[in-house]
Amino acid sequence: MDDIASQYRVKTAPYYRAVGHEIEQFQAAYDARLPMMLKGPTGCGKSRFVEYMAHRLGRPLVTVACNEDMTAADLVGRFLLDRDGTRWQDGPLTAAARMGAICYLDEVVEARQDTTVVIHPLTDHRRALPLDKKGELVTAHPDFQLVISYNPGYQSLMKDLKPSTKQRFGALDFTYPSPEIEAEIVAHETGLDPKQAEKLAQIALRSRNLKGHGLDEGISTRLLVYAGALIVKGVPAPDACRIAMVRPLTDDPDMRDALDAAVAAFFP
């Protein structure tokens, strides 16, 4: 199990710029083995934060990108056939519970509700996972923690977590950093000149003011990093902004024109 756990360790410390007390708060939640829910918009740093905390805590990190086709067996495991007969293959949730990893279910709201209920026994006093098909009850390792994330902006009546699931978790709210901090992040991640990074952050700020007025989401910090990386590689700033920030965000001609105008204001 130690050999398997070593594969999931975050060996290099990820860069994470705290914007509040989220590091100390998550540390306290981990010390209490409290399941945690990270809520925030796309590309604001939720996944990077989990990687950073896993490295800081010295725990393996098992990440699952949730989707609507994911079944309970994809999480807990299934029997497989090979040339020697039938064998059981642990799913990522079961493997994490056995090895004492942090299991991170990214965008958990994308999974079907009949799939997410399998996590319930791991998120209360039982800290156990029944493997019904195998007839085994896996007791979670003392160091195991379950973390989920999702974007509240995409909630709907048909796609949301059940209250019985939500109330099993503590929650941390994430949002985009202030323009000053965001520029610092972009400059650090890409090596971009800080003055240019500040301009990218200001463009993103203006795009976020259009949320609900033609845009589902504004330009994310992740997209700013992409744009900064292109500029560092020699792509002219206006082109980099269009490629990495404007075109991925919307196909609406009016919204593109508005965002292109914001780019032109900072990068004539």
Side-chain angles (χ1 to χ4, degrees), residues 153-154 176 203-220 223 245-260 262:
Y154 292 149
Y176 299 120
I203 295 169
L205 181 63
R206 281 154 178 75
S207 78
R208 291 163 195 164
N209 293 332
L210 296 174
K211 182 178 179 181
H213 300 281
L215 289 180
D216 293 328
E217 289 281 355
I219 295 170
S220 69
L223 293 184
M245 292 162 56
V246 177
R247 298 302 181 261
L249 199 62
T250 179
D251 294 315
D252 182 89
D254 293 335
M255 285 295 102
R256 283 190 171 189
D257 288 344
L259 293 171
D260 284 342

Side-chain angles (χ1 to χ4, degrees), residues 38-228:
L38 312 182
K39 303 165 66 175
T42 301
C44 70
K46 300 186 297 295
S47 296
R48 175 66 65 90
F49 174 72
V50 177
E51 291 180 5
Y52 172 82
M53 291 306 302
H55 182 273
R56 180 185 175 98
L57 295 166
R59 301 311 310 156
L61 175 63
V62 177
T63 299
V64 180
C66 297
N67 62 80
E68 60 186 9
D69 295 323
M70 189 173 69
T71 66
D74 292 327
L75 282 178
V76 301
R78 53 169 55 89
F79 282 105
L80 301 176
L81 290 174
D82 59 23
R83 63 182 182 180
D84 297 321
T86 303
R87 64 182 177 85
W88 174 262
Q89 177 67 53
D90 278 344
L93 181 62
T94 307
R98 290 189 196 276
M99 75 176 79
I102 294 174
C103 185
Y104 175 46
L105 304 184
D106 188 18
E107 294 297 344
V108 69
V109 75
E110 297 294 334
R112 301 198 311 257
Q113 291 184 339
D114 62 333
T115 298
T116 55
V117 295
V118 303
I119 69 178
H120 285 192
L122 283 168
T123 55
D124 57 27
H125 66 282
R126 291 171 288 180
R127 284 179 57 85
L129 181 62
L131 304 181
D132 295 333
K133 292 182 179 179
K134 193 182 179 188
E136 179 184 358
L137 181 65
V138 177
T139 300
H141 188 285
D143 294 332
F144 170 77
Q145 185 189 32
L146 184 62
V147 181
I148 64 175
S149 73
Y150 75 104
N151 182 349
Y154 292 149
Q155 286 185 41
S156 70
L157 293 176
M158 298 301 293
K159 185 175 281 190
D160 195 7
L161 292 177
K162 290 182 176 181
S164 60
T165 300
K166 285 183 178 180
Q167 294 189 31
R168 294 171 178 273
F169 292 83
L172 289 174
D173 285 329
F174 282 73
T175 189
Y176 299 120
S178 67
E180 296 78 17
I181 293 178
E182 198 160 40
E184 178 185 326
I185 292 169
V186 173
H188 181 278
E189 291 286 275
T190 66
L192 185 65
D193 176 77
K195 294 295 184 183
Q196 288 186 303
E198 289 172 9
K199 292 179 180 181
L200 294 180
Q202 288 299 325
I203 295 169
L205 181 63
R206 281 154 178 75
S207 78
R208 291 163 195 164
N209 293 332
L210 296 174
K211 182 178 179 181
H213 300 281
L215 289 180
D216 293 328
E217 289 281 355
I219 295 170
S220 69
T221 307
R222 180 188 297 125
L223 293 184
L224 297 188
V225 171
Y226 290 171

